[in-house]
Amino acid sequence: MCLTNAAPPPHHMMMTLAQTKELFRRAEAVCFDVDSTVIKEEGIDELAKFCGVGDAVTEMTRKAMGGSVTFKTALTERLSIVRCSREQVNKLITDHPPQLTPGIRELVDRLHQRSVKVFLISGGFRCIVEHVATQLNIPLHHVYANRLKFYFNGEYAGFDESQPTAESGGKGKVISLLKEQYGFKTVVMIGDGATDLEACPPASAFIGFGGNVVRPQVKERCSWYVMSFGELLKELEKI
């Protein structure tokens, strides 16, 4: 009989619900995805709508989240349709500021009170994510996101392709970097999408978030899936 080496199940599936909860309770750092997790919307879709090309871009975001094209390809393609100017981005933030998901403010405050370091790791855009970080009292050097580039006249000039968040697997790269830089042993990633799930490992544990949008391929593959940040707050009260 020939024995084939089957791939071991992914790290986050081998972990029990109790183990994941335990790691969350004693995490030194908690990293949140931003679009559809910390905020209710997908930043790039909002930007596209604002620039009048909403439908085309929403469809591409769906494909990117489903994992059927590489992240960088999807980002390049979507941005080449949007081609937003600096002025449009600033106006979007002023006229339609990102909507925080209920309970996130309380959860981040509670983590900060417990001296847990909180990071935002996003495939979205730094200008929008910084606005969110400020509202949550998260220091801007704890923000990892993509940078849009503009010409001197403010026209769209592409994005910084050297950022780890511009790549598939970029969130995991950021977490590895944080572990190296700060010496964290326990880092928990929380998010709604496939790119968040894939960041574990190197993250010690992953918690799926379905409060804004439920992605079945994520829900099926994680040991702890929550529908609200209240569930995470409740867990911290057990300590």
Side-chain angles (χ1 to χ4, degrees), residues 174-193:
V174 172
I175 291 174
S176 294
L177 188 86
L178 294 178
K179 287 169 86 171
E180 216 170 283
Q181 201 177 328
Y182 294 92
F184 297 137
K185 296 274 179 288
T186 314
V187 180
V188 174
M189 179 75 205
I190 300 172
D192 67 287

Side-chain angles (χ1 to χ4, degrees), residues 4-238:
T4 56
N5 282 334
H11 174 68
H12 36 79
M13 275 309 288
M14 293 159 74
M15 213 177 273
T16 65
L17 176 61
Q19 284 170 320
T20 304
K21 287 184 169 184
E22 157 94 6
L23 285 167
F24 174 63
R25 286 196 306 266
R26 57 182 181 82
E28 296 161 90
V30 174
C31 300
F32 289 93
D33 168 49
V34 178
D35 293 337
S36 299
T37 300
V38 168
I39 62 174
K40 293 180 184 177
E41 62 268 56
E42 287 285 326
I44 193 161
D45 291 354
E46 293 305 303
L47 195 54
K49 252 185 264 177
F50 194 72
C51 299
V53 288
D55 294 347
V57 170
T58 303
E59 178 53 26
M60 290 166 90
T61 299
R62 211 178 51 73
K63 276 192 191 146
M65 293 307 290
S68 50
V69 289
T70 70
F71 186 80
K72 190 179 268 186
T73 302
L75 190 59
T76 306
E77 287 175 357
R78 288 179 293 176
L79 282 171
S80 64
I81 296 174
V82 179
R83 305 201 67 80
C84 50
S85 66
R86 178 181 274 136
E87 195 183 352
Q88 283 173 312
V89 175
N90 292 340
K91 195 164 161 46
L92 170 73
I93 295 169
T94 312
D95 295 1
H96 301 279
Q99 301 293 300
L100 291 178
T101 301
I104 187 63
R105 205 186 284 272
E106 295 78 359
L107 179 57
V108 171
D109 285 350
R110 188 78 191 90
L111 289 166
H112 280 154
Q113 282 164 12
R114 297 165 44 78
S115 302
V116 176
K117 299 275 189 281
V118 178
F119 295 85
L120 298 179
I121 307 180
S122 174
F125 306 118
R126 192 169 182 100
C127 42
I128 297 173
V129 178
E130 283 189 349
H131 179 83
V132 173
T134 305
Q135 288 179 280
L136 297 172
N137 299 314
I138 294 170
L140 297 187
H141 68 277
H142 284 197
V143 170
Y144 290 83
N146 288 315
R147 292 175 187 274
L148 291 171
K149 296 199 293 199
F150 301 100
Y151 292 111
F152 286 116
N153 65 0
E155 278 176 28
Y156 174 70
F159 64 96
D160 180 355
E161 298 195 18
S162 69
Q163 295 293 320
T165 46
E167 302 275 357
S168 297
K171 290 179 182 178
K173 284 198 189 90
V174 172
I175 291 174
S176 294
L177 188 86
L178 294 178
K179 287 169 86 171
E180 216 170 283
Q181 201 177 328
Y182 294 92
F184 297 137
K185 296 274 179 288
T186 314
V187 180
V188 174
M189 179 75 205
I190 300 172
D192 67 287
T195 59
D196 309 312
L197 178 78
E198 284 155 11
C200 173
S204 321
F206 169 74
I207 301 166
F209 181 76
N212 293 310
V213 57
V214 174
R215 303 191 197 277
Q217 75 273 34
V218 174
K219 189 177 182 178
E220 286 156 18
R221 287 172 58 201
C222 64
S223 57
W224 193 16
Y225 194 82
V226 300
M227 295 305 289
S228 77
F229 288 125
E231 293 173 63
L232 298 181
L233 260 173
K234 211 179 283 168
E235 198 55 43
L236 293 177
E237 280 160 19
K238 291 182 182 175

